[in-house]
Amino acid sequence: MKIDEPLSRRERKKQETRQSLMEAAYQLFTRDGYDATTVSDITDAAGVAKGTFFNYFPTKEAILPAIAAHRTERLAEALTAERTALASPVARIRHALQLVADDPLCEPQLAQRLFSAIMRRRELKPGHAMRDLLAEQVRQGQAAGEIREDLDPVSLAGAIHALFFHQLAMWYQGYRPVPLHTMIDGAVDLLMDGAAGPNWTPSS
């Protein structure tokens, strides 16, 4: 047992360092912008040597998918029934999309950098973590009678995911007839009009 303890502590320290680097990068990217932030800025903010960064990420760009994955994990935790007052799975889908829309990672500069980083690393599958999160909410919606049971959860989640990013793109291109959250709610309602189960009612 004692032989294993140092390894466990070492692994825990590695995870803590990686987390510190991601948190520092996220704060700096959102405050100063991606281009203005250097690796030295990130390591200084995280309190580690510059070379430490490259033990975890080969380039500055490579940290972006890791940050996005971590943000999605935190979003999934926030949506669990035990931690949210939103009993309706469809309401949780809306809430999840609104939270993602508010995240600085969805702003054009960071979003473009993130997409580029994902495409360069072909082992990463763009959007799958978010799609899987939405698919789980769809399954819960089907169990609650809010969504038709004959629909494939992954396909519907993919449609929600695609429509969400379409709305987001229009917003950043200047199409802003209503607040962004209202546009997102409208997109979900548009899909739900064709996907609604017997217990679902449109938002007012």
Side-chain angles (χ1 to χ4, degrees), residues 134-199:
L134 292 172
E136 177 55 31
Q137 296 303 316
V138 169
R139 292 186 188 95
Q140 293 182 26
Q142 290 173 321
E146 291 186 340
I147 297 175
R148 282 171 30 200
E149 293 183 355
D150 62 319
L151 297 174
D152 175 59
V154 175
S155 296
L156 182 55
I160 295 170
H161 186 264
L163 188 54
F164 164 72
F165 279 104
H166 176 68
Q167 298 293 86
L168 202 61
M170 290 197 302
W171 174 264
Y172 280 115
Q173 289 169 5
Y175 181 74
R176 302 180 177 186
V178 293
L180 180 57
H181 284 198
T182 303
M183 287 180 65
I184 293 169
D185 285 347
V188 174
D189 284 343
L190 178 64
L191 281 177
M192 289 302 300
D193 281 342
N199 297 335

Side-chain angles (χ1 to χ4, degrees), residues 10-198:
R10 192 181 318 61
E11 183 60 33
R12 186 164 57 249
K13 177 62 176 176
K14 287 174 61 179
Q15 292 176 357
E16 291 171 354
T17 300
R18 187 174 188 274
Q19 183 65 31
S20 295
L21 288 166
M22 288 193 296
E23 290 176 357
Y26 179 75
Q27 294 298 324
L28 290 168
F29 291 160
T30 57
R31 189 191 71 188
D32 302 332
Y34 176 87
D35 291 334
T37 300
T38 66
V39 170
S40 293
D41 293 333
I42 296 169
T43 53
D44 287 347
V48 299
K50 181 178 179 179
T52 302
F53 181 92
F54 300 104
N55 293 332
Y56 297 88
F57 308 101
T59 63
K60 184 178 77 168
E61 186 183 66
I63 200 172
L64 282 169
I67 293 172
H70 178 64
R71 302 290 293 175
T72 302
E73 288 172 6
R74 292 183 61 181
L75 178 61
E77 292 171 1
L79 290 180
T80 57
E82 295 80 9
R83 297 182 60 179
T84 180
L86 299 173
S88 162
V90 173
R92 291 199 294 273
I93 288 172
R94 288 198 186 93
H95 184 55
L97 297 179
Q98 291 169 356
L99 290 175
V100 173
D102 290 340
D103 195 304
L105 285 179
C106 278
E107 294 179 359
Q109 185 197 49
L110 279 179
Q112 290 172 5
R113 292 287 188 175
L114 173 59
F115 182 76
S116 175
I118 289 173
M119 294 306 293
R120 290 178 192 277
R121 301 182 63 193
R122 295 179 181 272
E123 74 276 12
L124 295 173
K125 299 177 180 178
H128 281 204
M130 184 64 185
R131 187 203 63 190
D132 291 346
L133 183 152
L134 292 172
E136 177 55 31
Q137 296 303 316
V138 169
R139 292 186 188 95
Q140 293 182 26
Q142 290 173 321
E146 291 186 340
I147 297 175
R148 282 171 30 200
E149 293 183 355
D150 62 319
L151 297 174
D152 175 59
V154 175
S155 296
L156 182 55
I160 295 170
H161 186 264
L163 188 54
F164 164 72
F165 279 104
H166 176 68
Q167 298 293 86
L168 202 61
M170 290 197 302
W171 174 264
Y172 280 115
Q173 289 169 5
Y175 181 74
R176 302 180 177 186
V178 293
L180 180 57
H181 284 198
T182 303
M183 287 180 65
I184 293 169
D185 285 347
V188 174
D189 284 343
L190 178 64
L191 281 177
M192 289 302 300
D193 281 342

